Amino acid sequence: MTDTDKAKDSRKIKSVGKMKEIMTTYYIDAKTAEQTGKKVAWITSGGPVEPLIAMDVIPVYPENYGAMIGASKMGGDLCQKAEELGYSGDLCSYARADIVCSMVDGGPIGGLPKPDMLICCNNICGTVLKWYEIQARHYNVPLFILDTPFCHTEYTQESRKYVRAQIDEYTHFLENACKTKFDHDRMKEVGKLSVEGQVLWQEVLDTAMNRPSPMTCFDAFFHLALIVTLRGTQIAVDYYRSLLEEMKQRVADGISAIPHERYRLLWDNLPIWYRVKWMSEKFAAHDACLVADTYTSAWCGQLKYMDEDNFLDSMAEGYTRIYLNIGVDEMIKIVLEMVDKYDVDGFVMHSNRSCKPYSLGQYDIQRAVQKERGIPSVMIESHMIDERSFSESQSETRIDAFMEMIKQKG
Amino acid sequence: MERFNDFYEAVSDTGKYIRNLKNSGKKILGYVCSYTPEEIILAAGIHPVRLFGTEGNIALADAHLQSYTCSLARGVLEGALSGELDYLDGMIFPHTCDTIQRLSDIWRLNTDFGFFSDVVLPVKLDTESAREYMEDVLRKFRSDLEEGMGVTITDGALEKSIEKYNRIRGCLKTIYELRSADPGILTGADVYAIVKGSMIMDRDYLLERLPEVIEMLRDRKPSTDMGKKRIALTGSICNQPDIYTIIEKSGGVVVWDDLCTGSRYFEGLTDTNGDPVAAIANRYIERQICPAKHMSNTSRGDCIVEMVRKNNVQGVIFLLLKFCDPHDFDYPYIKGFLDREDIPSMLLEIEDQLPSEGQLMTRFETFIHML
Ligand code: SF4
Ligand code: SF4
């Protein structure tokens, strides 16, 4: 091994293998649920999974599947097929790809296991409402909608009462669907594990405050999978505990995520899944490390509302006030906090045609960041898993110009 | 049409119409969605006006909304930023789609018209807790409006306002029914002007004027059958009066619609017994839904098929604004419902501007010819 190979090897995050193992086991369990007599629920990424775990229902995430489709560059083809079914090419590419996999088939791992029920929480977007209605018609299974009113400026009393009432409706729905009583004791344990997992995930992300950072947001996109899919389980807690240890060790050993970290950047919006590697190499070549992002922190940003001893009550608020369900001005506050916390030199915004709630408002956020912190920013446009929408040369030119600006400043 | 000059004028120069109204001492509140509780606004003595987006080019809004935003949202914001909507004393955003949700934030952060309110209605309408929440939100809106505009809204005023809206909506529905029974009695452009005008013009004036229109239509001799094919439109808004004329030139005639600037505006009456706010909430729950709301998984499809049957519609035209997610998601399934019933349909996607008349004629003619 040459020296650089050695250095390269030491920079690899060792937990990756473990993560792949866990996810493989998880998908095998989900795909064999029918044989093992377990129920499968499809749930939105921002949805409250904990009651499902408490009821021993296997949660399956079409959005996680969407990311997988994107990473394996199957998105363009599936999205094209969705258009042939009449779904406009302007719709969320996760939704388009998933719908096609259900209706026509195709996609990685031979498709998702059929749902016994659908759980849709609209705290991330209105897209999921329409998407889950489509799946409810297709599979003809019960659909539960957790309606979390948008918090433009506040979480109102009216909304508090409404969401709390729906949490009880949710547990009743599960009792009906599973034909067993809701296990409140088990729920308490799951609630505690969920909070514990979220705390650990936040601590993992926080290690990026170090200079040099032991991880990039591209790593975070990958390691995010468990906090999304297995939140509330011991598996997730154990995994993030060991990942945190690894990150701390890297910091102690001075191992950086990229060879020469000179510039630190913040990422906004979902990843461009089919371009993660290209992006990370592109920025690394400029000695720029994307240390943090607004996306992966969305699965622990509500900890302040969560009470592990009173999980079901507090979860109503926690799930309603997530990053995508708040006003642009509150998003600006959070972005500015991240700019300071991770001490970044620039802001990379993915203007994601797939995701209107995340992307509309970005121009205002961009201006606020420029005004308040005076750091350069760049906007890259795509549909997150429809690779046909991505212009490499245009993105490259923009990134290069943006990095020039940063270099001149610093 | 001369007979409806008042409507045509209000629609073609809304700014002029509203400014006149304002000069007479009225306060003006804008809104963009058919779930706006206009009854409460009117009961406060305030004039509600529905905004349809600028007629001019979009320039200023491009600094806030990406190109993949529907033309309605971009157009409305343009109007606000360019000064075209200077007459507004405030704005109301009921929660509808992801786009309007963000438009509301952007509006709040970049404009200053005085009153501002987000009416964050429930998205699902099929549970008791959602109904209660709907009511709670409407009550909150009522008190926010009282506080923000320095007015009191008594139950008596609200009941009167509900009664007025029931009459206005009833009239619009009657006009639709008369047209459906005999499409020759007035042109599509006339109906468009009347319905759109009804969201703009002084409501007391409408209370006098709409019954006159109905009487006039009832007095008309039945038109001789023109052999035109009966068409229904479905979608969000139709801001393009030319569409009706082009459809007529192509051998069709619009007899009904499922548009938020059409039947979704007037369908369903509000109960005049019992608590007025609860009654408004109940109307929203019972009314034909818009695709941004959830009722049952098939309620829109069922409603549209029923509309077709009831009005002997021969073909349906989907009129969808580009980048409108809720309608785009519903399109394949509703088309599927129509296909199952052997009802032909075509899709027209509208960007900022309509395609040229010639091109549209060809598409409509081809479609209508096959009916
Ligand atoms: S990417 Fe955006 S629009 Fe698509 S499901 Fe996620 S939050 Fe919704
Ligand atoms: S529902 Fe459709 S047309 Fe209406 S504002 Fe939303 S995206 Fe635009």
Side-chain angles (χ1 to χ4, degrees):
Chain A
M1 241 185 225
T2 67
D3 257 4
T4 46
D5 279 349
K6 227 188 205 162
K8 226 180 180 173
D9 207 46
S10 75
R11 276 199 308 276
K12 281 209 179 107
I13 296 176
K14 309 289 172 289
S15 302
V16 165
K18 178 88 193 138
M19 168 70 139
K20 284 186 177 156
E21 253 170 52
I22 297 175
M23 285 308 282
T24 307
T25 315
Y26 158 74
Y27 270 115
I28 290 174
D29 280 354
K31 293 206 60 156
T32 52
E34 232 182 309
Q35 287 100 291
T36 52
K38 283 201 175 184
K39 298 241 183 254
V40 169
W42 284 14
I43 180 167
T44 53
S45 69
V49 64
E50 293 84 354
L52 292 177
I53 307 270
M55 291 295 264
D56 228 7
V57 174
I58 302 183
V60 164
Y61 291 79
E63 289 156 80
N64 176 264
Y65 189 58
M68 205 192 289
I69 289 169
S72 37
K73 303 192 174 52
M74 298 168 98
D77 185 43
L78 291 167
C79 286
Q80 168 71 41
K81 287 196 180 117
E83 281 158 44
E84 285 155 21
L85 294 181
Y87 292 97
S88 157
D90 300 316
L91 292 168
C92 169
S93 49
Y94 276 177
R96 276 185 284 150
D98 177 65
I99 290 166
V100 162
C101 290
S102 296
M103 295 189 180
V104 184
D105 99 306
I109 64 165
L112 288 178
K114 283 202 184 76
D116 296 294
M117 66 194 96
L118 299 161
I119 314 292
C120 171
C121 180
N122 61 0
N123 58 353
I124 47 172
C125 62
T127 283
V128 289
L129 177 77
K130 303 310 295 174
W131 177 0
Y132 277 59
E133 282 177 352
I134 290 166
Q135 297 295 24
R137 282 191 296 269
H138 179 69
Y139 290 109
N140 196 20
V141 292
L143 163 65
F144 181 78
I145 295 165
L146 182 69
D147 183 10
T148 48
F150 195 81
C151 306
H152 286 281
T153 53
E154 56 171 342
Y155 180 51
T156 61
Q157 282 312 316
E158 293 79 17
S159 171
R160 184 181 299 274
K161 179 178 137 201
Y162 176 40
V163 183
R164 185 61 193 86
Q166 291 176 80
I167 301 289
D168 292 333
E169 292 164 18
Y170 183 21
T171 55
H172 289 146
F173 172 89
L174 292 179
E175 286 180 329
N176 281 334
C178 302
K179 300 190 179 60
T180 46
K181 276 231 109 14
F182 191 74
D183 186 342
H184 283 275
D185 292 328
R186 178 85 203 285
M187 185 61 231
K188 279 190 187 127
E189 286 164 32
V190 173
K192 283 201 165 70
L193 288 170
S194 170
V195 172
E196 199 180 347
Q198 292 179 58
V199 170
L200 285 165
W201 177 238
Q202 182 68 64
E203 286 180 43
V204 169
L205 297 176
D206 286 351
T207 62
M209 286 160 69
N210 288 286
R211 261 176 202 275
S213 171
M215 64 184 285
T216 68
C217 75
F218 302 109
D219 298 318
F221 296 155
F222 176 78
H223 294 278
L224 170 75
L226 289 192
I227 200 67
V228 180
T229 52
L230 293 172
R231 193 166 67 247
T233 66
Q234 189 66 45
I235 304 170
V237 168
D238 292 345
Y239 177 76
Y240 287 118
R241 187 163 289 133
S242 72
L243 180 63
L244 179 60
E245 262 162 41
E246 185 181 349
M247 288 304 145
K248 284 184 171 162
Q249 193 56 49
R250 285 164 72 94
V251 172
D253 298 343
I255 298 173
S256 57
I258 64 163
H260 312 283
E261 177 190 306
R262 286 192 57 194
Y263 309 106
R264 297 163 63 83
L265 307 173
L266 177 67
W267 174 274
D268 184 51
N269 213 308
L270 281 88
I272 303 175
W273 286 110
Y274 47 87
R275 279 301 163 125
V276 170
K277 188 157 176 282
W278 180 85
M279 282 279 167
S280 67
E281 283 168 1
K282 181 84 205 141
F283 281 104
H286 281 290
D287 293 340
C289 180
L290 280 138
V291 292
D293 67 278
T294 57
Y295 173 63
T296 54
S297 51
W299 279 270
C300 49
Q302 296 62 243
L303 273 167
K304 53 181 180 259
Y305 308 117
M306 295 289 202
D307 175 359
E308 61 167 3
D309 295 318
N310 190 8
F311 191 79
L312 279 188
D313 284 335
S314 67
M315 135 179 142
E317 179 161 5
Y319 278 107
T320 306
R321 305 183 78 166
I322 74 161
Y323 188 68
L324 278 186
N325 212 41
I326 54 175
V328 167
D329 33 350
E330 218 177 306
M331 292 170 107
I332 290 173
K333 264 190 229 149
I334 293 175
V335 169
L336 291 176
E337 275 168 28
M338 292 187 83
V339 167
D340 297 340
K341 177 175 175 182
Y342 295 99
D343 198 12
V344 298
D345 310 296
F347 191 25
V348 184
M349 306 182 90
H350 171 203
S351 172
N352 185 357
R353 299 177 75 99
S354 280
C355 189
K356 296 194 174 73
Y358 216 144
S359 304
L360 306 189
Q362 272 179 323
Y363 290 157
D364 282 72
I365 297 176
Q366 182 180 34
R367 267 190 299 273
V369 169
Q370 252 151 7
K371 180 162 164 266
E372 301 290 331
R373 295 296 182 270
I375 57 171
S377 58
V378 63
M379 213 167 278
I380 303 167
E381 192 173 298
S382 97
H383 257 302
M384 72 212 158
I385 66 165
D386 185 348
E387 68 270 13
R388 297 170 304 165
S389 65
F390 186 74
S391 158
E392 180 169 310
S393 58
Q394 193 194 52
S395 308
E396 196 157 28
T397 316
R398 285 195 189 166
I399 292 171
D400 290 342
F402 163 70
M403 284 312 305
E404 265 327 297
M405 251 157 69
I406 291 190
K407 286 174 194 167
Q408 272 164 22
K409 277 194 74 182
Chain B
M1 277 283 151
E2 238 163 73
R3 300 176 292 170
F4 304 115
N5 255 346
D6 42 353
F7 291 98
Y8 276 88
E9 275 167 23
V11 166
S12 67
D13 195 348
T14 303
K16 184 170 159 215
Y17 182 91
I18 299 289
R19 270 186 212 100
N20 278 338
L21 207 59
K22 196 175 163 96
N23 289 338
S24 72
K26 279 254 163 109
K27 293 260 188 254
I28 314 288
L29 288 183
Y31 71 92
V32 280
C33 169
S34 69
Y35 287 95
T36 306
E38 278 189 53
E39 296 86 342
I40 300 178
I41 304 168
L42 192 70
I46 298 165
H47 178 75
V49 58
R50 169 137 193 174
L51 307 179
F52 301 90
T54 183
E55 301 278 313
N57 281 338
I58 293 178
L60 300 166
D62 286 341
H64 300 274
L65 289 168
Q66 281 93 329
S67 57
Y68 48 86
T69 309
C70 76
S71 57
L72 175 67
R74 286 161 64 234
V76 167
L77 185 63
E78 185 69 24
L81 298 174
S82 68
E84 197 180 309
L85 299 176
D86 270 357
Y87 50 74
L88 290 182
D89 294 294
M91 182 72 183
I92 294 150
F93 284 99
H95 184 273
T96 48
C97 61
D98 292 337
T99 300
I100 291 291
Q101 176 177 298
R102 286 295 175 216
L103 175 66
S104 147
D105 286 340
I106 291 168
W107 183 291
R108 180 166 51 80
L109 297 172
N110 293 284
T111 68
D112 190 9
F113 288 102
F115 186 77
F116 177 91
S117 182
D118 285 304
V119 186
V120 191
L121 299 170
V123 163
K124 59 176 179 182
L125 305 177
D126 58 345
T127 64
E128 179 51 27
S129 63
R131 203 199 57 76
E132 273 173 35
Y133 173 69
M134 173 84 88
E135 224 183 288
D136 289 348
V137 169
L138 293 177
R139 281 187 212 293
K140 179 170 187 293
F141 173 66
R142 175 180 177 175
S143 62
D144 286 354
L145 191 63
E146 288 183 316
E147 205 183 302
M149 300 295 287
V151 289
T152 12
I153 303 168
T154 62
D155 272 2
L158 199 47
E159 279 154 15
K160 233 185 237 149
S161 164
I162 287 175
E163 206 241 317
K164 286 183 185 176
Y165 271 102
N166 277 347
R167 274 159 55 202
I168 291 173
R169 294 197 173 108
C171 286
L172 292 174
K173 186 163 181 177
T174 305
I175 294 170
Y176 263 52
E177 284 166 349
L178 290 170
R179 173 187 53 175
S180 181
D182 183 358
I185 54 170
L186 77 179
T187 67
D190 290 344
V191 180
Y192 170 86
I194 293 169
V195 177
K196 194 170 168 187
S198 296
M199 298 173 208
I200 294 169
M201 294 157 82
D202 181 58
R203 305 307 192 259
D204 287 322
Y205 175 80
L206 293 172
L207 284 169
E208 308 266 311
R209 183 68 174 104
L210 290 172
E212 276 173 30
V213 171
I214 292 174
E215 221 155 286
M216 184 166 106
L217 294 176
R218 286 218 161 101
D219 284 350
R220 295 214 62 192
K221 277 194 258 38
S223 58
T224 45
D225 180 34
M226 306 166 296
K228 291 204 162 157
K229 296 287 172 16
R230 297 171 67 85
I231 303 291
L233 301 179
T234 174
S236 52
I237 65 165
C238 177
N239 209 11
Q240 318 277 0
D242 297 350
I243 290 248
Y244 296 93
T245 319
I246 302 174
I247 291 175
E248 282 157 17
K249 279 193 203 161
S250 311
V253 59
V254 175
V255 295
W256 206 269
D257 68 44
D258 161 61
L259 299 171
C260 52
T261 48
S263 76
R264 280 207 297 281
Y265 180 71
F266 61 70
E267 283 288 7
L269 297 183
T270 311
D271 193 354
T272 46
N273 299 309
D275 179 78
V277 176
I280 297 171
N282 285 337
R283 172 173 172 264
Y284 288 154
I285 282 165
E286 283 155 18
R287 199 195 84 184
Q288 144 100 314
I289 59 157
C290 114
K293 301 251 179 282
H294 174 82
M295 195 49 145
S296 79
N297 295 323
T298 59
S299 67
R300 266 198 88 222
D302 296 336
C303 275
I304 290 172
V305 168
E306 196 191 307
M307 159 188 87
V308 166
R309 288 226 187 90
K310 235 168 123 179
N311 295 286
N312 298 317
V313 168
Q314 292 163 287
V316 173
I317 298 177
F318 287 87
L319 213 58
L320 305 188
L321 291 195
K322 188 160 172 65
F323 305 116
C324 171
D325 292 351
H327 281 280
D328 282 348
F329 271 116
D330 264 7
Y331 167 70
Y333 114 77
I334 292 182
K335 179 178 186 305
F337 270 40
L338 293 172
D339 288 350
R340 214 171 54 195
E341 307 282 325
D342 276 331
I343 303 155
S345 63
M346 72 168 272
L347 169 63
L348 182 67
E349 193 178 57
I350 301 176
E351 292 198 53
D352 291 1
Q353 241 99 56
L354 277 186
S356 72
E357 178 167 340
Q359 199 191 335
L360 263 185
M361 280 270 283
T362 314
R363 293 188 55 190
F364 286 151
E365 272 171 1
T366 316
F367 174 64
I368 290 166
H369 195 77
M370 290 185 352
L371 301 177

